Every structure is written in structure tokens, then in C-alpha cells.
Amino acid sequence: MTANKVLLVDGMALLFRGFFATSFRGNFMYNSKGVPTNGVYQFLRYLTDAIQTFGPSHVVCCWDMGSKTFRTEMYDGYKANRDAPPVELIPQFDLVKEIVQSFDIPNIGLENFEADDCMGTLANIYNPENEVFILSGDQDLLQLVKENIRVIIMRKGQGNYEVFDKDNFYEKKALSPAQIIDLKGLMGDSSDNYPGVKGIGEKTALKLLQEFETIDGLVENIERLPKGIQSKLQADMDMLYLSRQLAEIKCDVPISCDLEGSRWDFKEDKVITELDKLEWKHLDRLLAPLKNKPSVSF
């Protein structure tokens, strides 16, 4: 077991999750300047709980840098089904990064790429010599699982995690991590708004990949498939391969983050000085998990 344990945090996933978890009753936690802070507050609850649970030696937070990326250039319908963020969330985008910075956690993002691509790139930079944990609610990231890279999926309720690694992956998903990309290529992704092959759902896609392993293997053996499946693939062949491209996380994004600069070294006074600007009560409760020993060991 290597000494370093690097936690890569999907910042936008935690912020959106935190915002909607706390705002469904209209509780936006405005400060005296009229700035809503509920998403940032719950983001920190998620972050501090994960740090206490998994005990990283290093932490990096990755962010989307706008809605336009190389994927929207490939397919203009990509994520086009998503509504604009609520007005109460917009000022919290910059605010949350300032709070993250007060913890001396690097904020990493690059225009034209998604946070997923940044996490995939950093995970593959770090993993030869370090244990990497990726924290998100996004199952697209499961394709990154391999030696020394685990993906932590946040389930409903705070502190409820499912950890995927190379040893338990097939048992949980009945596929290899790399096959997640082909699964998305076949069935599409309604959340990201790309269709895959019309008429092929998850159950059929899973069965096809278990037999033929990859999309290329499937196409090479298309004559062995039932006529209905053949027709669906032939009708949507271009979209099949485009959907696969959209699903694949890029792991060669031109970014870097010096590992030493991401060492977890919580300075309570510095953080409280920044959090005081948000006028929250009971900061001791919010930061309490950081003073406890990790509850999970790997």
C-alpha cells in the first residue's frame, strides 16, 4: 500500500447536490449582503464528511468551466436538455471556490473540458505511485476504475457511499470499467442528452457487451445478431460511435497539479476567517468531522 491517498473531488457535482438538497423548501441561507449560501454550506458538509471518512493525505477539487466544451462542438445536442442554473445558485459558483481555497485545496479546471476530464487526467498522473479516490455522484466516472484508482459514488443521504475498485467492479456492474464507455455508446445517456442506438436500452446493451465485449466486437459480428438488433445498429451506426466518443472521459487534458501543493493540512483559523464572512452559526459543528480519525481504511 502506497503512503499517499489522493482525493479528487467533483466540485460541481457536490455543489449542485448540496444546493438542491437544501433549497427544496426555499431555504437559501442568505447572509446580510443578500448572498445565498446554502449550496456552499451543504457542499462543505459533504466535503468534510468525505475527508473524515476516507482520510486522504492530499485533496484536489475539480470544476466544470462553463457549459461549452469540445463535446458540444462534436454534438450540439450534448447536455442541451439541461435548464439554466437557479439564480440563487449562480453567485455560489465563485463563492465555493474561495472557500475551497481557504482550505489550501487546489481548484482545477480548464475551459473546453469537463471536471470529469480533469479528474481522469489527474487520476492517471497520480495513480502509478499513489492511491487515488474520486468522489462524485456521477457514474460516468466508473470507467476510470483500475489499479490504484477507486471511485466513490455518493448515494442518497449524507455519509452514504458506494466504493468501486478493480476487485469488486465486475460483481457490482457485470462489466469491466472500460466497458462502461461502450455501454453508454449503445444505450445513450438521457442526462447528457445523447441518444446511443434508438431502441437499445441498458438491459440489451449489457447482454450484448457481455457476449461481444466491445462495440467493435459487436459490429464485427453483426451477422450473428437477431435481425431486429442488426437493423437498429445499422440505422444508428454513426450515432453509436459518436455516443461512444461523447461518453469517454479524456485522460490527456493539458493540466497539472503538483501533488505537494495539494497536501491536506487543515488550518482551522484560516478557514474560520473565511467562513465568518458567510455569517454561519456553529462553525465548530461544521468543521468537527475534520478533527476525527478516518472511519474507513483501505
Side-chain angles (χ1 to χ4, degrees), residues 139 142 169 173-189 194-197 200-210 213-215 240 243-244 247:
Q139 297 213 24
L142 295 179
F169 197 92
K173 303 301 290 186
L175 292 174
S176 70
Q179 286 178 301
I180 296 297
I181 307 169
D182 286 2
L183 182 72
K184 294 278 188 176
L186 283 164
M187 62 179 280
D189 188 322
Y194 57 87
V197 177
I200 293 185
E202 183 174 7
K203 185 176 179 180
T204 300
L206 183 63
K207 183 178 179 181
L208 290 171
L209 290 174
Q210 287 171 340
E213 296 189 2
T214 65
I215 285 174
L240 168 64
S243 294
R244 190 193 187 284

Side-chain angles (χ1 to χ4, degrees), residues 13 51 135 202 206 290 296:
I51 289 173
L135 176 68
E202 183 174 7
L206 183 63
L290 302 179
V296 174

Side-chain angles (χ1 to χ4, degrees), residues 126-146:
Y126 297 148
N127 85 298
E129 298 180 358
N130 307 279
E131 293 283 341
V132 179
F133 292 75
I134 299 172
L135 176 68
S136 181
D138 183 359
Q139 297 213 24
D140 289 351
L141 290 158
L142 295 179
Q143 64 186 262
L144 298 174
V145 170
K146 62 181 182 181

Side-chain angles (χ1 to χ4, degrees), residues 152-185:
I152 306 164
I153 296 295
M154 302 170 67
R155 298 302 189 187
K156 188 174 181 179
Q158 183 168 320
N160 186 13
Y161 307 104
E162 184 173 10
V163 181
F164 292 82
D165 61 34
K166 66 179 182 62
D167 295 323
N168 68 22
F169 197 92
Y170 190 85
E171 178 184 350
K172 289 174 177 287
K173 303 301 290 186
L175 292 174
S176 70
Q179 286 178 301
I180 296 297
I181 307 169
D182 286 2
L183 182 72
K184 294 278 188 176

